[in-house]
Amino acid sequence: MSAGEPGVRVGAGDWGIAVGVAAALLVTGLSGQRSATNLEVLGYALLTVGGLALAVRRRAPVAVLGVTGLCAVGHQAVGFDVPAVAYLFAVYAAVRAGH
């Protein structure tokens, strides 16, 4: 099925993966050492959005690739040294969808 096709639904498994990745990113972000800044909330938001975007990776793989990539760059820019795990999931989804 191609991206955006009505037959592709976001199921419990998709949400499970998205929530799991978001939780892993947040735990990693919380355990890191960094100076307290006003950008911490932004960093946590970017980690969360990047992970949760994976829920729709089968429906819109290219859009999810863009969102997770921007979130990864953003959380790195505000000082969160967290691996871009969500982006790697999105790359896989986009390649698997033929993009």
Side-chain angles (χ1 to χ4, degrees):
M1 297 187 150
S2 65
E5 195 169 317
V8 179
R9 294 190 177 170
V10 178
D14 295 320
W15 278 109
I17 289 171
V19 170
V21 170
L25 290 171
L26 282 172
V27 167
T28 305
L30 287 168
S31 67
Q33 297 293 324
R34 75 196 143 278
S35 60
T37 66
N38 293 336
L39 298 176
E40 274 192 20
V41 173
L42 176 61
Y44 294 127
L46 290 169
L47 290 172
T48 303
V49 169
L52 292 180
L54 293 174
V56 295
R57 73 192 182 285
R58 293 189 302 139
R59 187 168 192 78
V62 175
V64 170
L65 183 62
V67 168
T68 57
L70 289 173
C71 287
V73 169
H75 70 68
Q76 291 287 323
V78 298
F80 283 70
D81 190 23
V82 177
V85 175
Y87 181 71
L88 296 176
F89 271 87
V91 167
Y92 174 77
V95 170
R96 186 163 182 206
H99 298 286

